[in-house]
Amino acid sequence: MPPKDPPDGTNDRRSKAWMLDVQFRHLRYDIFEPVIDACFHASQHLASNFNAPSQLDYQVRQKTVRGTQYSLFRDIRLEDSRFENNGIHLRFSFACPTHLRQTRMLSSGHFVSGMLIALIGLDTENTISTTFLRTEICQSTVSMKPITGNHLRASVVASFVDPFDTNNMRQTLYSLKSLRNKEKFVIVEFPKVLVAGFYWILKHLQFLSSSNTEISFSNLITPSHAPRLQQNAPPAYSNSGSSPFDLGVLQEFYKSDARSPLRLGPDFVTLNLTDQEAVIQEVCSTTTLDHGQATALCENLARGLAFTQGPPGTGKTFLGVALAKVVLRHAPKPILVACMTNHALDNFLGDLVKQGITRIARIGGASKEEWTDGYTLPSIRKNFQKSEEGLGQKIKIDRAYQSVRALWRQGTAWCESLNTHTLTWAAVADHLKTSYPQLFSDISRYESPKEQKISDIRQGRNEAGGYAFEHWCSGRDLVDTEDFSRNARSFFNKTMTPSDAVDTLSDSESSSIDLSLQRPQIPVYYPYDYIGHNAWSMPMDVRAAWITRWKSELGSSSPIDKLVEIQRRYLEARKYKQERLDESDAKILANQEVIGLTTTACAKYWSMLKSLDLETLICEEAGEVSEAQTLTTLLPSVKHAIFIGDPLQLRPQVNQPHLSLENVYGAKYRLDESLFERMVMPRTSNVQPMLASKLDLQRRMHPDVAELIRGTIYPYLKDHPATSHSPIAGMVHRTFWLDHREPEDAPNPSIVSSKSYSNSFECAMVCELVRYLLNTNDFGSGEIAVLVPYSQQLACLQEKLAGTRTCSIALSDKDKEELIDMGLLDENEQSQFKTDVKVFPMVRLATIDGFQGEEAKVIILSTVRSNLQDRVGFLRITNRINVACSRARNGFYVIGNSTLLRTIDMTSPLSATSSATSSMTAAIDVAASARSATRTTTTANAKECVPNSAPAATSARPSATPAPARHVIYLASNLVSMVGIFLPCGHEFTVVDLDAQLELSKIYNLSTSGEILAMEHTMAEGCKRLPKCPKCDAALDCVPRYRHFRQYQLAPNTIECLYRKFGRKMWMFAGNVQEYRKNLQKGFEWFCDNFAPGPLTGKANAAMIKTRLLYITPVEMAITGFRDNVLLPAEKKIAHIGIVLGKDYVSAPLRLSFKLRSDLLYLHCRLTVLQEAANIIRFLQNSDDPRHTAYMAQTLRMHTIQQIDENLSEAGLLAEECRLKSLIRLEAEATLIQLCFDAVAESLGGEVDNLDRHERAERLTVENPGTAGILRSCYQSFDPYERGNATTAELWTAKTREFWEKWGAYEVGSLRYCQKGHPYSRKAFEECPECGGRKVSAGQVENRANYKRNLDRDIFLKVINEMGNQN
C-alpha cells in the first residue's frame, strides 16, 4: 500500500501517474481486503469440513479473526444455466437454514441484486478455486420446491463479474460439471459490496493510467510537496476568454422589476476588495442571494476550478441551481451534474426543474422519484427516435441488435443443452440429421408453425425453433391431457391446488375419461428397436434413453466449449450495439441543457460523455465523494469545475477505518479524504490550500442550536432572521443535555457485529421524551427525529417505540438494510413495528450517517456510550458530531454521559452552554405549554423518583383566564410515565384519577401504564355524554386524551357517510360484473377461432380455457375482499353503535344488507363463470376434431356440475338469511340465481329438482310487487318447457339496474330506517326497497303456483299415466 503523497522530488508527470496508481490501489485495498480475508476464512472452513456430512441447518453469518463479517452458504449445487442480457447466468442451490426458509430468504437482505459473491471450491487434490460472481436474483425455498421437492434448499442466480474472462468461465463450468476432480463448493456473500460500486471506477482508473488520457486541471490537483502558488485561471468558454457572465437570469426570475441585467466579468477575482464588494452588494440587492451566496457565486464564476464550503443550512443546493442558471446562459454546451448518491442527484435536478430548466437528461435508472421518469435517457431516446434523424439512428441500432439477438438465441439453446435435464434442438439437430435421419424427420416436421396451426403460441419461439423437440423430450404430448384433468378444478377456483382437484375424482368418474388420456403401456425396448417407428409413439422412458445416448455421443465438454465461445461472440456483438447506441445517445445529450448522473455512472458512461466535449461540471455534496470517484468526473474537455460541499461534515465512507484520517496510522493513507478536502484543507506540509468560497448565513437552526457548531468549527456562521423559530411545546430549553451514568449494554453474543453498541437506559429515556413531546400535540408527522451513532441502538429504539403504540416509525432504506445485514432486523418481523401513519404521528429514526442532508423540527440524540474505560467510540469523529448537532431547526436534546463525552472538542460548547443555563442535569425542565414559563421536572434517575409535586388531585386554583392544559411527567423506577393534567378550568388531576372518573376504560382498552390500545367493543350507554371536568362540569374538548368522546356525538353522520360509500361501492361492483360478462360474450368468437386442437397444443388450449374461466376473478376478489375487510367489521360496529345510540336513533334492531348484497354479487360472478363453462363445453363437443377435445369437454362438464351444486347451496343459505332479515327483494334475487344455476345444469344434461324454488320465486315476485316485483320479468324468462335455453336468462333488467344505481346515488342527509330496521334513502326510494310496498293476497299466489306446478312436464306425464292405469 503506497502512501497518498508522492515521494519528494516527484515531477508533475510522475505525480499524476502516482495519483492514479495510488487511487487505484487504495480503492482496491479498501474493497478487497475484507473480501480476501473472508475468502481465506471460508476456504479454511471448507477444508476442515470437506468430508463432513451436509447439514440442513447451520449458522450463516461468520466472522473472521480480523473482524470481517460475511455470510457462508453450504452444500452448493449447480442447478442450471441460462443466457440473459449480460451473458451466462448460473443458478446455484444451497442448503437453506431454518430461519431463512419459506419466503424469509427474499426479505432477509441476502443476495441483493448486484452484490459481490464468491464461489469457492475444493477438490480431492486440495486445490482451491475462487470465482467472483454478481448476484442477479434470489429464489426462496418455496420457489425451489418444484425442483427440490421440499423446503430445504434456496437458490441464487449469478453472473460472472468479468464476463470477458472466458478462460475462468470455462474452468468454472468444468469444475461445476465435475468434468475434472470432484469438488465441493461454498458461496461467500460479502455484505454491502456491490459490484457497480467499484467495478467501473477501478476500470476507469486503469484506463486513465494506461492510456495517458488527460485529466482536467491535472496541474492543480496532482499531489506535490513543492510550495508552489496554485494558479487558477477563469473558465475559458470562448476563444477570447473574457466574455462576461449575464446574471440577468437571476434578476428576471427573482426580481422581475430589475432595470438592466447585471453582468459579471471573468476578472472578478483580480479586482480590489472595494470593487469586489460593490459587485457583491449589487448582486444581493437585485437577487435573493445573501451576501455569502452572492460572494460564492461571483468567485465560482471567475475560477476555472472552484470550491465552495457550505455549513449546514446555508443553501448549498440553492447556490448550485443559481450557478447552473447563469452558466447555461453563457456556456454553449450542456452542464454535467454529478452527485455521489441518487438521492442527492434527484434533489438537485428537481430544484432545476422547479426553476424552469426542463431540458434535462438523467442517466441511470436507480431513481426512486416518479417525476424523473420523463427525464431518463430511455424516455428521451424514445421521443428522439420518432424524428427523422432519430429514425436513421434506430435503424443502425436495430441492425446491431439483430446480431445480438441471433447470438442470444444460440446461447440460450446451448445453455439448455448444458443443463442436465434437457437437450436443445440447436445442439442436437445436426447430429440427428446426420446419424438418425428418420427421427430427425419425425420431429422436425412439426417445427413448422403452419403444420400444427400453433403460430399464436409459437410467436416468441419461432425464430429459435425447437418447440416440437422440447415437447417430445419432456413428454408433454403424453402428460398434457393428464394435467388438464388434474388442474381443471383450479380453473373455477384459484385457491384450489391440483392435488385438491385429484381428490375430488371418484374411480367411476376417472374411468369414464377417454382412454387417450392415459399414457400408452408399452414395454421398454432398446432405443434402436424403435428405429422405423414414429418418434411420437415412443413412451417417455424410451425417449429418455435416446436423450441419454445423444448426450453421450455429443460429449460433456462440447456444450461448455460451444457456450463459452458464443459468450465471447455475444459480448463483442453487444459491445458493438452499445457503441451504436452511445452514438445515438450522444446526439440526444448534446441537445440537452443538463446531464445528471452519479459518479459511478460517470465512470460507466465515460467514453460517451467524453465524445460530447462537455465544458462545465457541477459536483454536489463533493465532501462525501471519494477522490477516485471525483477523478471520473474531470473529463478532458472540462474547463469549469464547481465543487460544492462541506468537508467538515461526513467524509467518503470506507471499509478500512484504520486507514482513515481519524486514525494516527492511517494519516499517511487517508482513504476517506475527498479531493475537495485535500485541495481546500491540505495535510501535506508546504502545500498551500486552494481558495474556497464560504457560505456564512444559515437558515435552518435557531440561534441557540446553531451556537453548538458556531463555537467550534464555524466561527463565521451567522443566523438568518427567519431562524427565530417558535418555542418547543412543553420544554423550557431549546438545547438540553440529560446527563446520566448508566452503563452501556454488554455485547450481545447473538449479534454478529461487535462494533455496534446499545444502551437500554437511554433507549427508555428517549421513548419517554418522545411520548411526552407527542402528547403536546404540537408536532406534525416527521417533525421529531431520533439520531443514534450505532445500528444496535437503532434496532432497540425501533422495537421500543413501536411497542408503545405512541407513534409510527420511519426508517430510511439505508438504515433498514444495515439492520438486516447485521442480523438486527428481519423484514418479516417488521409488521409488529408498523403502525398506521394516519392514526399516529410519525417519528423518524436514523443513524447519524443516514441523516446527512436531512433536518427536523426537534432532534433527540442518544450518545449510547457510557463506560469506565473512557471509550467514546463513534462520536470521537468531529465530522459526525457536526452532522448530529446541525440537523435540528427548533430544539436539540442530548441524552448521554457528559463526563465521558466532555473530552471531545465538539461537545464542549453544548457542555458549557448547558452547564451555564442549568440545562445539563439529571432532570429535564418541561414547560406547561408552548407559551408557559412554568417549570416542572423529569428525572433521569431511574432508581429514584423525584417529583416536584404530588400526583394526587388537588383543589381548584383560582384563575382569571382559563389556561391551556399542560402535562407533567414523572419517571418512576420502571420508567412508566404518570402524566398529570392541569385542565383549562384550573383543576388538576393525575391521568389515572381522571380516567377513572370519566370512565375512559368503557371507551378504550387501556394498558397497565394507561396507554390507549384499541376501542372497547362493549361500550355503555354513558359513553354518549361529552367529557367534562368532574369538579366544575367544564368541557374537556381541548384535552387530546378525551376529545374522542366527541366522535360518538358524530356517529349518526359517520354511519350515513358509510352507507353512501357502501352503496356506491356496490353499484360499482355491479357495473364491473356486467362489464366483464359482456366482454366474455364478445370474446367467445375469438376463442373459437383461435382454439386449435392438436397433439402439441394441449397446454395452450388449456391455458385459453383457464384464462376465460378466471377472467372475472379480479372482480370476485375485489368483492370478497371488500366484504371481509370492510363490510363485515363495519356492519358489526354499526350495529353495536346503534345499540349504544338507542331507540332515538333507530326504533328496531338494525338489519343491514350490504354484506348480503356483496354475497349476491359474488354469486353473479360464479354464474357468469359457469355459463361460460357451459358454452365452452358445447363448443368442445361440436369440435371438428373431437379426438383432442372430448376429454376436455367431459372433464369440464364434471367440474362444472360439481361447482353448480356448491353454488346452489351457497345461494340457498343466502336466500334463507335474507328471509330471516325480511329482505324480500334480495331473497327473490337469490332464488332467481338458484334457478339460473339449475338452467346451466339442465343445459349440460344434469337432473335438477327445482320445483320449490319455482314456487318461492313465483310467490315472492307476485306477492311483493313494490320490492321483489321488479324481478318478475326476470322470472318469466324461465320456461320449464324449454329446458336448456335458460342459461342466458337476463337478471340485469332496466328495473334491477335502476335499483342498484339508486343506492349508488345515495346522498347524505336522506337516511331513513323502516320499521324492520332496514336503512334506505328517502330521496331515492319512497319506501323501503327491501320490505315495503303493496302486498298481494297469499291465496292468489298459491293458485298461481299450483297452476305452474301442473305445467311441469314430468308431473303432467305422471298424472296422465296414473289416470290411464285407473281406466
Side-chain angles (χ1 to χ4, degrees):
M1 276 285 292
K4 191 162 190 175
D5 296 326
D8 293 338
T10 305
N11 58 35
D12 289 346
R13 183 174 180 181
R14 291 189 60 189
S15 182
K16 174 189 171 185
W18 178 275
M19 176 182 66
L20 293 173
D21 182 66
V22 164
Q23 291 303 320
F24 176 84
R25 293 177 183 274
H26 283 192
L27 178 59
R28 185 179 61 180
Y29 180 87
D30 186 49
I31 296 295
F32 283 98
E33 185 62 19
V35 170
I36 295 171
D37 185 31
C39 289
F40 178 75
H41 188 268
S43 300
Q44 290 180 316
H45 179 277
L46 180 60
S48 60
N49 295 274
F50 186 79
N51 296 318
S54 300
Q55 297 180 356
L56 296 178
D57 201 11
Y58 55 91
Q59 178 64 39
V60 170
R61 299 187 182 274
Q62 303 290 325
K63 184 178 177 181
T64 69
V65 177
R66 301 165 81 180
T68 302
Q69 302 167 26
Y70 69 96
S71 298
L72 183 68
F73 294 90
R74 311 176 186 176
D75 192 15
I76 306 301
R77 302 175 192 168
L78 176 63
E79 294 293 341
D80 56 43
S81 59
R82 59 186 70 175
F83 209 86
E84 300 293 347
N85 184 48
N86 56 343
I88 299 173
H89 285 193
L90 304 177
R91 177 165 62 170
F92 301 96
S93 70
F94 52 86
C96 187
T98 304
H99 69 283
L100 295 176
R101 290 173 188 167
Q102 300 297 326
T103 58
R104 290 187 289 271
M105 172 62 75
L106 302 179
S107 56
S108 65
H110 289 293
F111 299 122
V112 176
S113 179
M115 186 178 292
L116 179 70
I117 61 174
L119 177 70
I120 300 179
L122 178 64
D123 63 16
T124 54
E125 297 181 356
N126 292 329
T127 302
I128 293 178
S129 63
T130 302
T131 303
F132 289 105
L133 303 168
R134 178 186 183 274
T135 59
E136 301 292 341
I137 190 173
C138 179
Q139 293 179 301
S140 66
T141 57
V142 176
S143 300
M144 289 297 293
K145 185 179 179 182
I147 298 175
T148 62
N150 53 50
H151 287 290
L152 302 179
R153 299 185 68 81
S155 71
V156 58
V157 177
S159 60
F160 292 88
V161 170
D162 188 356
F164 289 94
D165 189 354
T166 55
N167 289 331
N168 177 54
M169 190 179 303
R170 183 180 291 105
Q171 296 301 322
T172 301
L173 291 174
Y174 281 160
S175 299
L176 289 169
K177 287 300 198 177
S178 299
L179 298 183
R180 300 188 177 180
N181 295 328
K182 186 176 181 181
E183 290 190 56
K184 194 171 184 178
F185 295 92
V186 294
I187 283 181
V188 178
E189 180 192 33
F190 312 100
K192 298 184 296 184
V193 180
L194 295 176
V195 174
F198 65 86
Y199 182 82
W200 296 108
I201 302 292
L202 290 176
K203 281 284 188 183
H204 181 64
L205 291 174
Q206 279 183 325
F207 169 76
L208 290 177
S209 181
S210 62
S211 64
N212 293 321
T213 302
E214 186 63 33
I215 300 175
S216 291
F217 307 104
S218 58
N219 61 319
L220 298 177
I221 66 175
T222 50
S224 173
H225 291 282
R228 64 191 179 198
L229 179 64
Q230 312 234 16
Q231 299 295 328
N232 194 351
Y237 290 112
S238 61
N239 294 330
S240 62
S242 60
S243 177
F245 288 98
D246 183 2
L247 304 186
V249 63
L250 301 181
Q251 295 173 299
E252 292 170 0
F253 185 81
Y254 299 113
K255 301 286 186 179
S256 58
D257 58 345
R259 287 170 295 179
S260 60
L262 179 65
R263 296 186 180 275
L264 178 71
D267 59 344
F268 171 81
V269 292
T270 63
L271 301 177
N272 59 55
L273 295 179
T274 303
D275 293 339
Q276 287 185 4
E277 184 62 25
V279 174
I280 292 170
Q281 289 297 335
E282 187 174 0
V283 173
C284 291
S285 63
T286 57
T287 69
T288 58
L289 297 173
D290 60 48
H291 187 275
Q293 291 170 340
T295 303
L297 177 79
C298 296
E299 292 176 347
N300 276 267
L301 292 175
R303 293 171 181 161
L305 179 62
F307 296 92
T308 298
Q309 180 184 2
T314 53
K316 294 186 289 294
T317 302
F318 184 79
L319 171 65
V321 172
L323 284 166
K325 290 172 67 66
V326 174
V327 171
L328 282 175
R329 179 70 67 90
H330 192 80
K333 295 183 179 180
I335 295 176
L336 180 65
V337 174
C339 297
M340 175 65 184
T341 64
N342 285 287
H343 177 69
L345 178 64
D346 290 339
N347 287 342
F348 190 87
L349 296 182
D351 288 344
L352 290 177
V353 172
K354 293 176 184 177
Q355 298 296 326
I357 301 175
T358 57
R359 285 164 51 201
I360 295 176
R362 191 194 189 285
I363 301 178
S367 174
K368 295 183 179 180
E369 301 291 336
E370 292 184 2
W371 68 266
T372 62
D373 293 345
Y375 296 94
T376 61
L377 187 55
S379 177
I380 302 174
R381 184 190 301 143
K382 186 182 298 184
N383 294 328
F384 172 73
Q385 290 177 346
K386 296 177 182 178
S387 65
E388 183 176 353
E389 182 182 10
L391 186 59
Q393 293 292 331
K394 185 176 183 299
I395 293 174
K396 294 180 182 180
I397 297 171
D398 289 343
R399 288 174 181 171
Y401 176 75
Q402 294 302 322
S403 300
V404 174
R405 183 69 178 175
L407 288 168
W408 175 85
R409 289 195 297 267
Q410 293 183 40
T412 299
W414 281 105
C415 275
E416 294 177 3
S417 298
L418 185 63
N419 298 335
T420 57
H421 303 295
T422 61
L423 271 179
T424 62
W425 186 242
V428 79
D430 291 339
H431 181 63
L432 292 184
K433 187 174 183 180
T434 303
S435 303
Y436 306 95
Q438 184 174 343
L439 291 178
F440 174 81
S441 176
D442 291 342
I443 297 172
S444 62
R445 64 186 296 264
Y446 289 105
E447 286 298 331
S448 170
K450 183 179 179 181
E451 183 70 22
Q452 286 295 321
K453 303 178 182 179
I454 52 175
S455 57
D456 54 321
I457 64 174
R458 293 271 313 277
Q459 188 173 0
R461 295 295 308 273
N462 56 1
E463 295 181 1
Y467 179 82
F469 181 71
E470 287 182 15
H471 221 72
W472 183 87
C473 289
S474 60
R476 291 304 303 174
D477 55 309
L478 303 176
V479 300
D480 277 350
T481 53
E482 294 180 4
D483 288 345
F484 184 85
S485 63
R486 284 196 303 267
N487 300 329
R489 182 173 176 82
S490 67
F491 297 179
F492 297 91
N493 189 342
K494 290 185 69 175
T495 60
M496 263 330 230
T497 62
S499 59
D500 295 328
V502 172
D503 294 338
T504 63
L505 294 175
S506 64
D507 292 338
S508 59
E509 291 169 333
S510 297
S511 62
S512 65
I513 299 177
D514 191 85
L515 292 178
S516 63
L517 301 183
Q518 303 176 12
R519 294 189 180 187
Q521 301 299 318
I522 303 177
V524 177
Y525 298 97
Y526 291 106
Y528 53 78
D529 288 343
Y530 266 85
I531 294 179
H533 294 77
N534 191 284
W536 296 96
S537 65
M538 296 181 182
M540 194 59 217
D541 48 4
V542 176
R543 299 184 189 186
W546 274 112
I547 294 171
T548 302
R549 181 188 183 114
W550 296 333
K551 286 182 180 180
S552 176
E553 292 173 346
L554 288 171
S556 301
S557 61
S558 177
I560 294 178
D561 295 335
K562 288 281 189 180
L563 180 60
V564 171
E565 173 60 19
I566 288 176
Q567 163 90 349
R568 183 191 64 78
R569 294 165 53 199
Y570 171 79
L571 292 176
E572 291 294 335
R574 190 165 173 261
K575 180 181 178 181
Y576 177 80
K577 188 206 81 168
Q578 186 62 45
E579 291 173 353
R580 303 290 77 72
L581 187 62
D582 288 347
E583 290 177 3
S584 174
D585 290 344
K587 295 180 181 295
I588 297 172
L589 296 176
N591 293 320
Q592 306 302 311
E593 293 178 308
V594 175
I595 300 172
L597 73 177
T598 62
T599 52
T600 301
C602 192
K604 182 177 180 179
Y605 298 100
W606 189 88
S607 297
M608 179 180 65
L609 295 173
K610 180 177 178 292
S611 67
L612 296 174
D613 292 330
L614 302 177
E615 298 180 340
T616 307
L617 163 69
I618 298 179
C619 183
E620 261 273 327
E621 299 292 353
E624 293 185 69
V625 183
S626 69
E627 185 166 348
Q629 291 176 315
T630 304
L631 292 177
T632 66
T633 66
L634 294 174
L635 301 166
S637 57
V638 170
K639 301 174 182 177
H640 193 185
I642 300 172
F643 294 93
I644 304 174
D646 186 4
L648 297 180
Q649 296 188 57
L650 292 184
R651 292 192 176 103
Q653 293 187 357
V654 294
N655 299 317
Q656 307 299 319
H658 66 284
L659 299 181
S660 65
L661 283 162
E662 300 299 329
N663 190 286
V664 176
Y665 174 75
K668 65 177 182 179
Y669 299 103
R670 308 194 298 276
L671 264 64
D672 61 340
E673 183 182 49
S674 64
L675 178 67
F676 192 125
E677 186 170 4
R678 180 167 69 82
M679 301 303 297
V680 176
M681 304 167 60
R683 284 171 170 76
T684 306
S685 59
N686 299 326
V687 175
Q688 295 180 354
M690 288 280 289
L691 295 177
S693 306
K694 292 184 178 180
L695 306 182
D696 58 2
L697 186 65
Q698 67 90 16
R699 293 171 168 81
R700 174 188 298 164
M701 299 164 280
H702 187 275
D704 293 348
V705 180
E707 193 62 35
L708 303 177
I709 59 176
R710 183 167 29 239
T712 53
I713 57 178
Y714 303 114
Y716 55 85
L717 191 62
K718 294 176 289 187
D719 303 315
H720 192 276
T723 58
S724 300
H725 304 304
S726 60
I728 302 297
M731 302 297 287
V732 174
H733 302 290
R734 290 186 181 275
T735 61
F736 199 99
W737 190 310
L738 184 60
D739 193 17
H740 72 86
R741 299 295 179 269
E742 296 295 324
E744 63 197 44
D745 298 338
N748 188 346
S750 63
I751 298 176
V752 174
S753 176
S754 61
K755 300 179 183 179
S756 192
Y757 300 89
S758 63
N759 191 313
S760 299
F761 175 80
E762 289 189 15
C763 182
M765 293 301 298
V766 168
C767 292
E768 295 304 325
L769 182 55
V770 168
R771 291 175 57 192
Y772 171 73
L773 291 174
L774 291 177
N775 282 338
T776 64
N777 254 9
D778 197 53
F779 298 95
S781 183
E783 291 187 335
I784 297 177
V786 179
L787 303 186
V788 296
Y790 298 103
S791 296
Q792 192 167 335
Q793 181 77 345
L794 190 71
C796 178
L797 278 168
Q798 186 196 30
E799 185 173 4
K800 184 79 174 178
L801 274 175
T804 64
R805 295 180 63 85
T806 304
C807 58
S808 61
I809 306 301
L811 275 178
S812 69
D813 292 340
K814 179 180 178 182
D815 287 331
K816 190 180 299 182
E817 292 173 1
E818 179 73 19
L819 293 181
I820 293 174
D821 289 339
M822 295 177 60
L824 297 172
L825 177 66
D826 187 340
E827 189 85 12
N828 297 292
E829 297 174 359
Q830 289 188 72
S831 57
Q832 61 179 314
F833 304 139
K834 292 179 180 178
T835 50
D836 191 347
V837 178
K838 297 180 181 178
V839 177
F840 299 106
M842 183 183 72
V843 173
R844 290 188 282 176
L845 297 183
T847 57
I848 295 174
D849 285 2
F851 212 69
Q852 166 81 331
E854 303 290 335
E855 61 180 60
K857 189 174 183 179
V858 170
I859 294 292
I860 302 172
L861 173 64
S862 170
T863 63
V864 180
R865 301 306 298 272
S866 179
N867 52 70
L868 299 177
Q869 295 78 23
D870 292 336
R871 294 176 179 172
V872 178
F874 186 93
L875 291 179
R876 74 180 183 276
I877 303 175
T878 303
N879 299 61
R880 287 185 169 120
I881 298 183
N882 181 21
V883 172
C885 294
S886 59
R887 302 300 102 193
R889 293 195 303 270
N890 292 35
F892 179 59
Y893 303 102
V894 181
I895 300 177
N897 186 333
S898 63
T899 302
L900 179 65
L901 297 175
R902 197 173 271 137
T903 58
I904 304 174
D905 294 339
M906 190 66 197
T907 61
S908 299
L910 179 58
S911 302
T913 303
S914 300
S915 300
T917 60
S918 300
S919 59
M920 178 184 280
T921 64
I924 298 179
D925 290 337
V926 295
S929 70
R931 295 173 297 278
S932 174
T934 306
R935 294 188 178 188
T936 55
T937 301
T938 299
T939 179
N941 189 345
K943 300 179 180 178
E944 180 181 2
C945 181
V946 189
N948 69 331
S949 61
T954 62
S955 58
R957 296 177 294 175
S959 177
T961 303
R966 65 185 178 91
H967 303 274
V968 186
I969 296 181
Y970 307 97
L971 295 182
S973 59
N974 60 354
L975 295 174
V976 176
S977 296
M978 300 169 57
V979 181
I981 297 183
F982 294 90
L983 301 180
C985 59
H987 295 105
E988 179 182 353
F989 297 87
T990 63
V991 170
V992 175
D993 185 32
L994 191 57
D995 284 354
Q997 296 193 50
L998 294 179
E999 298 180 317
L1000 192 68
S1001 60
K1002 295 182 178 180
I1003 295 289
Y1004 299 108
N1005 288 324
L1006 304 176
S1007 69
T1008 55
S1009 61
E1011 297 175 16
I1012 296 175
L1013 301 178
M1015 299 290 295
E1016 176 60 55
H1017 293 295
T1018 57
M1019 296 178 293
E1021 180 71 21
C1023 298
K1024 293 184 292 182
R1025 66 174 183 270
L1026 287 173
K1028 298 180 179 180
C1029 174
K1031 291 185 176 294
C1032 64
D1033 288 339
L1036 302 182
D1037 288 357
C1038 62
V1039 182
R1041 187 173 180 84
Y1042 307 108
R1043 65 174 51 160
H1044 291 291
F1045 280 90
R1046 182 64 176 167
Q1047 293 183 358
Y1048 290 99
Q1049 303 295 317
L1050 303 175
N1053 184 69
T1054 302
I1055 292 174
E1056 191 171 5
C1057 289
L1058 287 176
Y1059 289 162
R1060 179 182 63 178
K1061 175 182 178 180
F1062 296 162
R1064 292 179 176 178
K1065 202 73 173 179
M1066 292 297 102
W1067 167 238
M1068 183 194 75
F1069 286 146
N1072 290 341
V1073 173
Q1074 295 181 62
E1075 179 183 1
Y1076 274 66
R1077 180 168 171 264
K1078 291 178 180 178
N1079 289 342
L1080 279 174
Q1081 293 173 351
K1082 293 178 181 178
F1084 191 74
E1085 183 178 352
W1086 178 92
F1087 167 79
C1088 297
D1089 293 339
N1090 288 271
F1091 189 92
L1096 304 185
T1097 56
K1099 186 175 181 179
N1101 291 335
M1104 292 175 62
I1105 295 173
K1106 182 177 181 179
T1107 299
R1108 292 191 65 80
L1109 296 184
L1110 294 180
Y1111 175 70
I1112 205 171
T1113 298
V1115 180
E1116 293 180 352
M1117 295 177 66
I1119 293 172
T1120 55
F1122 186 74
R1123 178 195 64 194
D1124 298 339
N1125 300 324
V1126 179
L1127 292 179
L1128 285 175
E1131 287 192 358
K1132 182 179 179 181
K1133 292 180 180 179
I1134 290 173
H1136 174 65
I1137 294 176
I1139 296 174
V1140 173
L1141 296 176
K1143 294 184 179 180
D1144 294 338
Y1145 178 66
V1146 57
S1147 58
L1150 284 177
R1151 294 178 176 178
L1152 303 180
S1153 61
F1154 296 106
K1155 180 265 180 184
L1156 298 178
R1157 286 186 214 161
S1158 66
D1159 290 339
L1160 189 65
L1161 288 174
Y1162 173 77
L1163 288 174
H1164 274 290
C1165 293
R1166 301 312 302 157
L1167 176 62
T1168 300
V1169 172
L1170 296 176
Q1171 288 175 337
E1172 177 66 18
N1175 293 334
I1176 292 175
I1177 292 169
R1178 285 192 292 272
F1179 167 75
L1180 294 176
Q1181 290 172 340
N1182 298 323
S1183 172
D1184 296 336
D1185 190 0
R1187 293 176 302 170
H1188 300 290
T1189 58
Y1191 74 97
M1192 286 186 170
Q1194 191 168 356
T1195 303
L1196 278 179
R1197 177 184 177 279
M1198 177 185 65
H1199 288 297
T1200 301
I1201 292 177
Q1202 187 179 39
Q1203 289 287 316
I1204 289 172
D1205 293 339
E1206 295 176 3
N1207 287 285
L1208 277 172
S1209 177
E1210 294 179 15
L1213 294 175
L1214 174 61
E1216 178 62 18
E1217 189 172 357
C1218 292
R1219 185 188 67 80
L1220 295 176
K1221 289 189 175 183
S1222 301
L1223 299 169
I1224 299 173
R1225 200 210 66 81
L1226 282 181
E1227 180 187 0
E1229 189 166 352
T1231 304
L1232 290 178
I1233 286 283
Q1234 287 182 295
L1235 291 176
C1236 287
F1237 286 132
D1238 290 337
V1240 175
E1242 287 181 309
S1243 70
L1244 298 177
E1247 294 294 330
V1248 298
D1249 183 9
N1250 56 8
L1251 186 58
D1252 292 340
R1253 291 191 279 273
H1254 271 291
E1255 291 179 346
R1256 185 167 65 250
E1258 179 81 15
R1259 175 176 54 79
L1260 289 173
T1261 56
V1262 173
E1263 188 180 45
N1264 304 279
T1267 55
I1270 64 175
L1271 300 170
R1272 180 64 185 171
S1273 61
C1274 301
Y1275 172 67
Q1276 291 174 342
S1277 64
F1278 291 93
D1279 188 346
Y1281 279 110
E1282 296 294 333
R1283 306 263 179 164
N1285 292 334
T1287 57
T1288 59
E1290 182 58 66
L1291 297 183
W1292 295 102
T1293 63
K1295 291 185 177 180
T1296 55
R1297 284 194 294 269
E1298 182 182 3
F1299 168 81
W1300 290 93
E1301 186 175 3
K1302 284 183 177 180
W1303 269 108
Y1306 184 95
E1307 296 181 8
V1308 176
S1310 62
L1311 176 64
R1312 177 178 292 176
Y1313 289 98
C1314 72
Q1315 295 180 352
K1316 295 182 180 180
H1318 303 146
Y1320 66 96
S1321 170
R1322 60 175 178 267
K1323 290 185 178 180
F1325 303 99
E1326 295 181 359
E1327 52 192 354
C1328 178
E1330 292 293 346
C1331 65
R1334 179 176 58 86
K1335 306 291 182 182
V1336 178
S1337 64
Q1340 292 177 328
V1341 177
E1342 182 65 25
N1343 291 337
R1344 193 174 185 95
N1346 289 336
Y1347 172 73
K1348 194 75 175 179
R1349 177 181 300 178
N1350 291 334
L1351 289 179
D1352 188 271
R1353 177 187 299 174
D1354 296 335
I1355 297 178
F1356 176 77
L1357 293 176
K1358 181 179 180 181
V1359 172
I1360 294 298
N1361 290 334
E1362 291 177 351
M1363 293 175 60
N1365 294 334
Q1366 292 175 359
N1367 294 333

